[in-house]
Amino acid sequence: MKRVPPALRRSLLRCLLVLGAAAAVSIGLARFAATAAADHATESARRDGLLPRRAPVGAASALAGRALYLELVDRGAISAGNPPDWPERLARLEDRYQLADVRYELGPERADALLPGTAAHDFMAAPMSLRLGLRHEQQLLDFLDGLVASGPGVARIKACSVARAAASEEPPGVRLVATCVIDWVSLRRKA
């Protein structure tokens, strides 16, 4: 077995030390960036009144709160009071899931009785009644998944029922009629 010359051994050690230092710096920068983003999200949540100002929070709770806040912002659940464009949204879903008939009625937004608000926000709920003409049950599940994914805020599906369609009253191809009651829950800043 040949021995590695001392000069080559020193060069290899220097290379390993430089690579190790570069890896440590990269990991440190990544952790710093993640911590800065999390701190920014926490401060935004505190500023918006979604997290208490000085409450002691465990690390796991703080991360869960940050993640929830970011998810609510992304979904549009933190509302400025602008109503979504329901006719366009429902027409797209009707086309995507090939439904024969979609009718809806949206009630006025009101303070949600099931969820207490925060110091700076109120939970608001807008009730929606849906009536869907279906060829099969899977269309209802697909439509609701698409509606929940594309809707503002968080959907609370309160009730759904499916019944056979009366042939004389429905468009051709409709075998079932589904009726659903949904609450769209969002946060609105207190005035």
Side-chain angles (χ1 to χ4, degrees):
M1 182 165 19
K2 279 190 167 183
R3 292 201 80 162
V4 178
L8 183 58
R9 189 179 307 155
R10 282 189 297 270
S11 294
L12 287 174
L13 277 172
R14 285 184 196 135
C15 286
L16 287 175
L17 285 173
V18 168
L19 287 174
V25 167
S26 296
I27 290 170
L29 287 175
R31 284 185 181 167
F32 177 75
T35 303
D39 289 344
H40 177 71
T42 300
E43 286 308 311
S44 295
R46 282 196 177 109
R47 184 177 53 249
D48 289 343
L50 295 174
L51 290 177
R53 295 259 177 228
R54 288 198 173 99
V57 178
S61 296
L63 289 175
R66 291 177 193 144
L68 175 62
Y69 176 76
L70 293 174
E71 181 182 343
L72 291 172
V73 169
D74 286 344
R75 286 192 47 95
I78 299 179
S79 160
N82 302 328
D85 185 14
W86 284 112
E88 180 182 316
R89 201 178 291 247
L90 291 172
R92 280 196 312 262
L93 291 170
E94 184 176 3
D95 289 342
R96 181 183 305 153
Y97 299 111
Q98 301 172 352
L99 299 174
D101 187 29
V102 175
R103 298 180 203 165
Y104 78 99
E105 184 177 321
L106 189 64
E109 196 173 54
R110 59 183 166 29
D112 189 23
L114 298 178
L115 297 169
T118 67
H121 290 82
D122 283 323
F123 281 97
M124 304 300 287
M128 175 186 270
S129 298
L130 283 172
R131 185 182 181 285
L132 309 168
L134 310 169
R135 288 189 308 278
H136 51 83
E137 296 88 350
Q138 187 63 41
Q139 283 184 304
L140 172 62
L141 299 175
D142 292 343
F143 180 85
L144 289 174
D145 283 344
L147 184 64
V148 167
S150 72
V154 177
R156 180 172 52 213
I157 299 174
K158 295 172 79 174
C160 274
S161 64
V162 179
R164 291 185 191 270
S168 61
E169 299 173 11
E170 300 300 328
V174 173
R175 294 182 35 233
L176 303 168
V177 174
T179 55
C180 295
V181 178
I182 300 171
D183 274 347
W184 288 102
V185 180
S186 63
L187 284 171
R188 179 169 298 160
R189 186 180 295 276
K190 289 183 178 177

